[in-house]
Amino acid sequence: MTMVGRESESAAVLGLTNGVLILTGEPGAGKSTLLDLAADRHQGRVLRMTGSESEANLTFAGLHQLLRPVLAETARLPGRQRSALLGAMGLGDGDGGGGGFGQAMPGNAPLSEAEPGNVPLREAEPGNVPLREAEPGGVDPRHGGPPDRLLLGVALLTLLSDLARQSPVLVVADDLQWIDAGSLELLAFAARRIGDEPLAVLAGARDRADEGARGGATAPFSGFPLLNLDPLDATAAGLLLDRQPYPPTGSRRLRILDQAAGNPLALIELARADGARGADSADSADGELLPPTDRLMRVFAADLEALPEATRQALLLVAADDRAVAGRVEALAPAEAAGLLRITGGGRDGWRARFRHPLIRSAIYHSVPLAARRRAHRDLATLLSAEPDRRAWHLAAAAEGPDEEIAAALEESAARARERGGYTAATTALERAAELSPGRRDRARRLVAAAGAAVSTGQPHWVRRLAAQAAALTDDPELSAEASLRVGQVLTLSTEHDTAMSLLLRAAEDPKLRRVALSSASVAGFYSGDEKYRLAVRARAQDDPWTLAVTDPTAHRSERVAAIPALVERAGGDPARLISLGAMAWLLDETALAVRIFDDALHRWRLGGSLPIGLGCSAGWSYLDHGRWAQARTAAVNTDSAGAGLPHLDAAARSLEAAALALTGRTDEARAAGSAALSLVDPHRSRAVAVRARWALGMAAVADGDHIGAYEQFRLLFTADGDPVHYACSYPGVAELAAAAVRTGHGAEAAAIVERTADRLGEDPSPRMRILIHRARALLEPSQAEPHFTAALAEPGGGQWPFERAQILLDHAEWLRRRHRITEARHQLNTALETFRRLGASSWIDRTRAELRAAGVESAPAGPDALTSLSPQQQHIIRLAAQGLSNREIGERLFLSPRTVGSHLYRSFPKLGVTARSQLRDLIEASGQS
């Protein structure tokens, strides 16, 4: 069993059978666990030594640990080697000198200064080698004094090599930074001379932040292969929390994720401590920094006691507020020298303390009594009259009981945080404001407001708890209705569609909340796809264009489309309203308009702060349909809920990713992602996700030429009677169903579904659906195909869906070639090939080139389009740069530093064949991806 989030690292250590690998990382990153895993799984002999700070100055203490289990094997060594090795460990047998365990050995040069090329290391008998000449300053153990280091190195290497001839040997060395220098040099000497025998050295050392603790004590191991254990990503961190006995939820979960910063030990310890506190206190808003466990205190605050008192006092203040550095730089210098933090800034933004790890900050903060912490916050609050947000939080941290003035200040701070997109900060501020509210109604009101802010964090447990606390405090029907609304809203992203609909329809009974509640209910109904939910919401929608479009995008479509520009104007740049209108345009098959609205909305949202959870996926499908596949996949990757308990949202992201992978020919990955999406939800209760996942799996089958598999997947988009499984998401698969049907003998069944679909779409289908119906009919009725192909290709606005248009060109060309209209076919094929190459649709490129060969044309090899050869992030940066944005402006949009943006551009220009930013616009326009 591999470690959560360490799958590749586990594979690396388990696969090490020869050579050397050094694991590095901060304390708690999982180095020791990986070393234990390798030791437990090793099929041969395992020898171990573990560094200890208390033995770091005892020479050959590590060597003694390493060789104690195999002392009997030293009898096979040549006499002088055996005597030197045993003597170094204080186990001399009379044949060699002392220099025993724990004694210093001055006068010996380190092994790295020896010239190993002068010594035939494996075959030579030491008595034949002038060892004292090989190592200047050495002392021959036959004459007393410390043993020769080169002789010891040869002895250790010979012993390990002899053991490896008997069975594979794994040397495991943990905490290299605390292993004594003598043992470390000997092990490094042997490690550098490992041949092809089954001998491996696996070691763990702290990261470079700790390297200076003993003056570069691990230097003998420099140059060996390194594997750094980076912090776990959000998904792995969330999964690790979920595997704990009492997985944290709500605000505590978010704080643990933030404070642990991907450190596995910290995640486990903080989760266990949180579970031990019990449910009543698990989500208290009191205190920004969670108290670390004793184990974490030992790991992250080990150096505090050695610091001067003035430094500890200054550390407490900057632990309480990392910007409280002014006037304390000198006092903090010893802490900076010890590697606990770095002082940055000093310009217009002032000084700032950057702790090496958030848990160091927490350990410092909780190393003093509560009274001292409160005093520090009061002192800081008096200095921050010009900064109301910081002052409010310090006053709240110092408060000893309810205080309306502080509660009101926190409520104002929460409003400012929401404007900046800081939903977690706003929720926490409102929750703390509720705790400090003297009156019950104010407390309930602020808890409901906190639940509203928490919806955008995507934490259903947090929203539910806040709403339940509010309900317990008041019978006010307006507050109760709003609490139901907030819980229902966050549950739209879960698989609890029944509960979400019930709560949202209940909230809609309040006239003030009716519009927003029905709007949210239409989303829950869309995700569910259940006909009774759709009709229930539609019956209450009255004249709301958004709700009407979501519940039935085919009815009065032209009227709804005509209303969008005015609705966008009325939105006034509000990104939340623009996102909704982008989704509306996409549902109505106004894809180009949807993309423009989404681009504007997401840009505005990023300028104000982070996006609410779940928004990226709604835009991703419009990007996919519009041919911006890399951007669609980026949206999918960024939509992960990081273990927030939202399997529906995770499934939606996986289905979008599967679609993008399938279209680019990465079919194995597409099938894995699509299957994962279906495993996360009940396909009969989350129809929108299920239908999209099946479409992606069908396209993967098409890409592989598996027409039977493709038909099976596309057929599942429709019921046995031929009705759509989902009233909106099933229809775009109708042409692919027809294409697979004609290749598998199911033409009659598919034709019935196509005509049933055309009837249901009525007299006002979208241009896209008209195109797809024409394509389906052309494929199913070859004798009457030409009018359908002509109508599909002549449809105004067909360029909004470049991949689908290129498919029709390819289908038409195949039909033309079979009727010996080769000249016309070649033109269609060349146009299709250009689009497929631009998009990176590798399977369709191959199919088009095969048709061209059949038409007598040998096209150029299908090299990847320059843009599609870049990573999704690089493509996004190139497009923004082509629009004339500076590196700083691009960085602000994508949350990257200007330097990182410049680095991406520097690496991308040669791949694109350009030398200046001014050339990018032409390149983008030529690619058709503008």
Side-chain angles (χ1 to χ4, degrees):
M1 180 178 177
T2 57
M3 298 163 59
V4 174
R6 299 285 190 227
E7 290 77 14
S8 61
E9 293 88 344
S10 297
V13 300
L14 292 175
L16 183 69
T17 58
N18 172 264
V20 184
L21 180 63
I22 312 298
L23 305 181
T24 62
E26 66 183 4
K31 301 182 296 296
S32 297
T33 305
L34 283 169
L35 296 182
D36 291 342
L37 175 67
D40 291 343
R41 299 280 187 88
H42 189 66
Q43 298 300 309
R45 189 192 296 268
V46 178
L47 301 176
R48 305 192 66 152
M49 63 175 168
T50 300
S52 168
E53 191 170 1
S54 63
E55 295 184 354
N57 295 317
L58 297 180
T59 305
F60 298 132
L63 185 68
H64 189 271
Q65 280 188 62
L66 185 71
L67 299 185
R68 185 169 53 184
V70 291
L71 287 175
E73 303 289 344
T74 62
R76 302 180 183 181
L77 294 174
R80 290 184 59 223
Q81 292 185 21
R82 179 173 184 272
S83 296
L85 208 53
L86 294 178
M89 294 185 290
L91 301 171
D93 60 358
D95 294 328
F101 173 71
Q103 298 180 9
M105 294 187 171
N108 281 55
L111 285 172
S112 58
E113 295 180 13
E115 189 63 51
N118 295 337
V119 185
L121 293 173
R122 300 294 175 87
E123 293 79 12
E125 278 294 322
N128 298 330
V129 181
L131 287 171
R132 284 182 290 173
E133 295 179 16
E135 185 176 20
V139 179
D140 191 326
R142 291 176 297 181
H143 303 295
D148 188 293
R149 294 291 183 95
L150 182 56
L151 178 60
L152 285 173
V154 172
L156 177 61
L157 178 62
T158 303
L159 176 61
L160 294 176
S161 184
D162 287 347
L163 292 171
R165 291 192 185 99
Q166 302 171 32
S167 66
V169 173
L170 175 66
V171 175
V172 176
D174 200 0
D175 281 328
L176 283 186
Q177 72 279 357
W178 299 125
I179 293 176
D180 65 276
S183 299
L184 206 61
E185 288 179 2
L186 293 183
L187 182 60
F189 176 88
R192 292 187 189 282
R193 291 158 178 80
I194 292 175
D196 57 2
E197 64 260 64
L199 170 60
V201 175
L202 179 63
R206 290 190 180 181
D207 59 18
R208 288 186 296 272
D210 291 311
E211 180 62 27
R214 291 175 55 221
T218 60
F221 271 78
S222 63
F224 284 115
L226 295 178
L227 178 59
N228 189 61
L229 304 187
D230 295 321
L232 299 181
D233 62 27
T235 301
L239 181 59
L240 183 57
L241 282 184
D242 289 337
R243 292 191 178 183
Q244 301 314 303
Y246 303 98
T249 60
S251 60
R252 280 280 173 163
R253 181 186 188 88
L254 294 178
R255 282 198 209 146
I256 288 173
L257 287 168
D258 180 63
Q259 203 162 314
N263 185 288
L265 174 64
L267 288 162
I268 293 169
E269 289 292 313
L270 290 174
R272 288 178 178 173
D274 182 63
R277 291 186 187 97
D280 292 339
S281 62
D283 280 306
S284 171
D286 188 12
E288 177 188 355
L289 298 173
L290 299 175
T293 63
D294 290 341
R295 185 180 181 190
L296 291 178
M297 286 290 288
R298 288 194 299 272
V299 171
F300 288 98
D303 300 326
L304 286 182
E305 290 301 320
L307 297 173
E309 175 64 23
T311 300
R312 293 202 299 271
Q313 289 295 326
L315 278 173
L316 175 60
L317 291 173
V318 295
D321 189 327
D322 60 10
R323 287 189 282 175
V325 176
R328 300 179 180 90
V329 174
E330 295 300 325
L332 291 168
E336 189 170 20
L340 297 176
L341 50 69
R342 287 190 304 111
I343 305 299
T344 62
R348 182 178 60 184
D349 296 330
W351 298 101
R352 195 163 194 151
R354 300 286 187 186
F355 289 89
R356 192 179 77 234
H357 191 280
L359 279 172
I360 293 176
R361 179 182 180 182
S362 180
I364 292 167
Y365 183 78
H366 289 283
S367 67
V368 300
L370 175 60
R373 299 199 297 270
R374 283 178 170 163
R375 186 166 55 250
H377 285 294
R378 282 194 295 270
D379 292 344
L380 289 168
T382 61
L383 301 174
L384 294 170
S385 58
E387 298 186 55
D389 291 338
R390 291 172 66 198
R391 181 175 183 274
W393 272 111
H394 286 301
L395 289 173
E400 299 183 16
D403 188 312
E404 177 58 29
E405 183 180 350
I406 298 175
L410 282 172
E411 190 170 14
E412 293 173 2
S413 177
R416 289 187 288 270
R418 289 194 69 164
E419 290 175 359
R420 298 189 298 269
Y423 307 103
T424 300
T427 306
T428 306
L430 286 164
E431 187 175 8
R432 180 61 173 146
E435 291 176 356
L436 293 173
S437 300
R440 288 172 62 88
R441 193 181 191 289
D442 281 335
R443 182 175 298 181
R445 177 179 59 79
R446 285 164 175 154
L447 284 169
V448 170
V455 168
S456 294
T457 71
Q459 292 285 333
H461 299 293
W462 199 4
V463 177
R464 277 176 154 161
R465 182 181 57 76
L466 292 166
Q469 288 178 347
L473 288 169
T474 181
D475 295 327
D476 186 319
E478 291 186 7
L479 288 177
S480 297
E482 187 176 351
S484 295
L485 170 68
R486 300 314 180 189
V487 176
Q489 283 177 322
V490 78
L491 291 183
T492 61
L493 299 175
S494 74
T495 55
E496 299 182 56
H497 304 303
D498 295 343
T499 305
M501 289 295 297
S502 175
L503 290 168
L504 292 168
L505 292 177
R506 184 191 310 165
E509 295 173 5
D510 185 322
K512 295 180 181 179
L513 301 177
R514 186 187 64 81
R515 184 178 291 269
V516 67
L518 288 176
S519 175
S520 298
S522 69
V523 175
F526 177 86
Y527 290 152
S528 167
D530 192 301
E531 191 69 4
K532 68 176 183 292
Y533 290 154
R534 183 178 77 86
L535 295 176
V537 177
R538 183 171 177 77
R540 295 168 171 82
Q542 297 179 6
D543 61 349
D544 179 51
W546 154 259
T547 305
L548 290 170
V550 174
T551 53
D552 191 351
T554 62
H556 306 287
R557 180 191 165 276
S558 297
E559 180 183 337
R560 308 277 180 254
V561 170
I564 292 177
L567 293 172
V568 170
E569 184 71 23
R570 200 180 306 162
D574 179 358
R577 295 174 67 184
L578 289 174
I579 285 286
S580 297
L581 294 172
M584 179 179 173
W586 172 70
L587 282 169
L588 295 170
D589 279 334
E590 291 296 311
T591 305
L593 175 60
V595 166
R596 290 197 298 273
I597 296 173
F598 277 129
D599 281 347
D600 183 31
L602 295 176
H603 172 55
R604 290 175 184 273
W605 221 311
R606 290 187 183 101
L607 290 179
S610 60
L611 273 63
I613 193 167
L615 285 189
C617 207
S618 63
W621 284 100
S622 67
Y623 292 138
L624 188 88
D625 291 344
H626 203 44
R628 288 161 60 168
W629 295 349
Q631 200 165 347
R633 190 169 177 223
T634 299
V637 171
N638 292 340
T639 300
D640 196 294
S641 71
L646 299 173
H648 174 87
L649 179 59
D650 291 337
R654 298 290 77 77
S655 64
L656 173 57
E657 183 179 22
L661 289 167
L663 293 173
T664 52
R666 297 166 64 174
T667 53
D668 288 342
E669 296 172 74
R671 278 188 288 273
S675 299
L678 290 172
S679 71
L680 288 168
V681 297
D682 180 346
H684 302 293
R685 297 172 67 85
S686 296
R687 293 172 179 82
V689 167
V691 164
R692 288 168 174 172
R694 295 198 188 285
W695 185 89
L697 291 171
M699 294 308 294
V702 172
D704 284 341
D706 176 11
H707 303 301
I708 294 175
Y711 183 78
E712 290 173 349
Q713 293 296 337
F714 293 126
R715 183 63 183 83
L716 289 171
L717 305 188
F718 299 88
T719 67
D721 295 333
D723 291 329
V725 169
H726 188 278
Y727 65 88
C729 297
S730 291
Y731 291 138
V734 68
E736 295 298 343
L737 173 69
V742 297
R743 291 175 169 85
T744 56
H746 294 90
E749 184 178 30
I753 294 174
V754 170
E755 296 312 313
R756 194 178 185 94
T757 297
D759 290 342
R760 288 179 66 100
L761 291 173
E763 298 179 359
D764 188 23
S766 70
R768 183 188 189 188
M769 288 312 306
R770 287 198 295 269
I771 290 170
L772 293 178
I773 293 292
H774 279 306
R775 181 190 176 208
R777 287 170 170 166
L779 293 172
L780 291 165
E781 306 170 35
S783 62
Q784 303 174 40
E786 187 148 32
H788 291 300
F789 281 130
T790 301
L793 293 172
E795 184 70 50
Q800 295 181 73
W801 309 282
F803 176 70
E804 292 173 359
R805 182 176 178 82
Q807 284 182 297
I808 296 170
L809 288 167
L810 174 57
D811 291 337
H812 190 199
E814 290 176 336
W815 184 88
L816 290 169
R817 184 182 62 79
R818 291 188 179 97
R819 282 150 185 80
H820 308 291
R821 293 162 63 178
I822 303 300
T823 302
E824 295 171 81
R826 288 173 182 170
H827 174 72
Q828 303 280 52
L829 289 169
N830 282 321
T831 304
L833 182 60
E834 181 181 342
T835 300
F836 289 140
R837 281 179 170 171
R838 169 169 55 80
L839 294 173
S842 58
S843 297
W844 287 267
I845 292 171
D846 293 342
R847 182 178 154 195
T848 307
R849 292 185 69 237
E851 277 296 315
L852 277 168
R853 286 194 297 272
V857 177
E858 189 62 43
S859 67
D865 178 76
L867 270 176
T868 59
S869 70
L870 304 180
S871 71
Q873 186 177 64
Q874 287 173 333
Q875 291 185 45
H876 202 174
I877 289 171
I878 289 296
R879 289 194 184 93
L880 294 175
Q883 296 172 22
L885 274 66
S886 68
N887 289 4
R888 181 172 297 279
E889 290 169 331
I890 295 171
E892 288 174 353
R893 288 199 181 193
L894 304 183
F895 295 107
L896 300 171
S897 71
R899 184 173 182 179
T900 299
V901 173
S903 177
H904 279 301
L905 290 171
Y906 178 80
R907 292 197 297 270
S908 300
F909 274 25
K911 298 178 183 179
L912 300 174
V914 301
T915 57
R917 296 170 85 104
S918 58
Q919 299 172 270
L920 293 177
R921 178 180 291 275
D922 291 340
L923 183 144
I924 295 293
E925 290 179 352
S927 73
Q929 298 190 36
S930 55

